[in-house]
Amino acid sequence: MKRPSSASRRQPRRGPKVKRTPKSIIQETLVQLDQLAAPSAKAQGAISFFKKWLRDESGYDEQAWPKLKKALDRERTRVKARTLFDG
């Protein structure tokens, strides 16, 4: 049986690649969250939480995340489990 050519297996081109900045990704995500229809009050609460978190510009998450990663990996090493993060 003949294999398809490599050209037929390639992904179609999607046009020029647009550079996405973190701010544009956040804006796109907020638009998508606004379009969601929450099936329950609990889901609506989660959506509201994520929207608030995405709009937060205090810098707390950038400051706290490296410390949290280090603590999680340190604890997993202590119990002889594989680490969650590279580096």
Side-chain angles (χ1 to χ4, degrees):
M1 188 162 151
K2 188 175 179 183
R3 294 179 73 185
S5 70
S6 62
S8 64
R9 287 183 273 155
R10 289 189 189 135
Q11 294 289 332
R13 290 196 176 188
R14 298 182 184 181
K17 193 167 187 172
V18 177
K19 185 175 181 184
R20 296 173 62 193
T21 63
K23 245 185 181 165
S24 69
I25 294 169
I26 289 171
Q27 289 304 318
E28 291 171 19
T29 305
L30 286 169
V31 168
Q32 291 173 351
L33 286 173
D34 286 337
Q35 294 172 352
L36 284 178
S40 66
K42 198 173 195 179
Q44 184 57 47
I47 291 169
S48 296
F49 170 78
F50 286 124
K51 286 167 56 173
K52 182 179 177 185
W53 177 63
L54 286 168
R55 288 186 179 112
D56 176 33
E57 295 182 0
S58 68
Y60 174 76
D61 52 340
E62 288 88 356
Q63 190 177 35
W65 180 238
K67 295 174 188 175
L68 179 59
K69 283 192 335 186
K70 187 183 271 186
L72 288 169
D73 275 345
R74 186 172 46 242
E75 181 62 19
R76 290 184 62 87
T77 300
R78 187 184 72 76
V79 297
K80 297 184 177 31
R82 70 174 184 83
T83 58
L84 296 172
F85 310 101
D86 294 333

